[in-house]
Amino acid sequence: MEGLIEQVPFDLSTQTVRELNQFLHQPAEELAGHEVVVANPNGAHNLAVGLNAPVTVTVHGHAGYYAAGMNQLATVVIEGSAGTGVAENMMSGRVHVKGFASNSAGATAHGGLLVIEGDAGLRCGISLKGGDIVVGGSVGSFSAFMAQAGHMVICGNAGDALGDSLYEAVLYVKGHIKSLGADAQIEPMTPEDVATVAALLSQAGLKTEHDPTAFKRIASARTLYHWNAEADQAY
């Protein structure tokens, strides 16, 4: 029947991560119409990495390091928590973590959407290059360090040095910010900012839980864009 999704099961208690990833690295036309369902991941590392097809992967459990790294086009749902570097260097597509995420979630992401329903650890969105990240909970210290483009929506609190050395990425925080990093500053929310937050919350499935007008905008003060030899180094 046209439009029918065929489920392909992988059980990592009897199969290997290499077998899973080799199946997922087939040409896009071979994966069309499939949903890959992964059972018993038990925190295995490198699940569903380097995908380049509009396939859906659902992981029933916790993932280890670098799950869904380098993702393009695919939708990866982790029905548990994820270790360090989930969705690292994502280019497009969607990665959705139903639990918590460890350090460096969404690091260097160029595109796509990363949703973390729980908290995220240190350096969430570090060196973000154009992707969008929505965190339903709080983020750890040094999140969005050197974030260059894209958006982060943080529905909880933020740790120390949020947005340190921020470039053109824009951050939105609903809760308390322990401290801002160098060159990051709170700015007034505009109607365009409210619309952006509303749209990202809607895409993440969190729109009914949070008021977009309750967020603060954090952006770059742009004082670090050019090296000033006359400065007293007190950045």
Side-chain angles (χ1 to χ4, degrees):
M1 182 183 297
E2 186 176 351
L4 184 66
I5 299 297
E6 179 183 352
Q7 287 196 345
V8 180
F10 273 83
D11 186 342
L12 294 187
S13 67
T14 59
Q15 295 171 280
T16 66
V17 173
R18 175 172 288 186
E19 289 174 318
L20 168 66
N21 286 335
Q22 283 179 334
F23 178 85
L24 291 169
H25 291 164
Q26 295 181 88
E29 58 271 18
E30 298 294 329
L31 292 170
H34 291 87
E35 177 189 7
V36 176
V37 179
V38 182
N40 300 307
N42 296 324
H45 304 318
N46 306 315
L47 296 176
V49 297
L51 305 192
N52 189 22
V55 63
T56 297
V57 180
T58 302
V59 178
H60 290 292
H62 303 304
Y65 292 176
Y66 299 109
M70 302 177 289
N71 189 59
Q72 294 190 81
L73 303 175
T75 296
V76 181
V77 179
I78 299 170
E79 294 187 338
S81 294
T84 295
V86 63
E88 184 265 345
N89 204 36
M90 177 165 62
M91 306 302 287
S92 61
R94 177 187 176 98
V95 177
H96 191 140
V97 180
K98 296 293 186 74
F100 302 95
S102 188
N103 300 339
S104 302
T108 74
H110 290 249
L113 174 65
L114 169 62
V115 178
I116 301 164
E117 292 192 14
D119 297 329
L122 303 172
R123 304 178 188 89
C124 180
I126 184 173
S127 195
L128 188 67
K129 290 179 170 63
D132 294 318
I133 301 175
V134 178
V135 181
S138 299
V139 298
S141 298
F142 294 102
S143 289
F145 171 62
M146 292 187 69
Q148 297 164 38
H151 304 89
M152 283 184 64
V153 176
I154 301 162
C155 299
N157 303 320
D160 276 317
L162 177 69
D164 189 75
S165 302
L166 193 63
Y167 284 79
E168 290 301 312
V170 179
L171 321 176
Y172 302 101
V173 182
K174 184 179 179 184
H176 172 72
I177 301 169
K178 190 169 182 182
S179 69
L180 293 174
D183 215 34
Q185 65 181 9
I186 296 176
E187 299 178 347
M189 288 281 285
T190 67
E192 290 77 14
D193 290 313
V194 174
T196 296
V197 173
L200 289 171
L201 288 173
S202 180
Q203 292 175 46
L206 297 172
K207 187 174 182 179
T208 60
E209 301 177 30
H210 302 283
D211 177 4
T213 65
F215 286 76
K216 298 174 283 291
R217 170 190 166 100
I218 294 90
S220 174
R222 302 182 178 181
T223 60
L224 296 182
Y225 272 35
H226 304 285
W227 173 254
N228 181 2
E230 303 300 324
D232 63 3
Q233 312 296 312
Y235 289 109

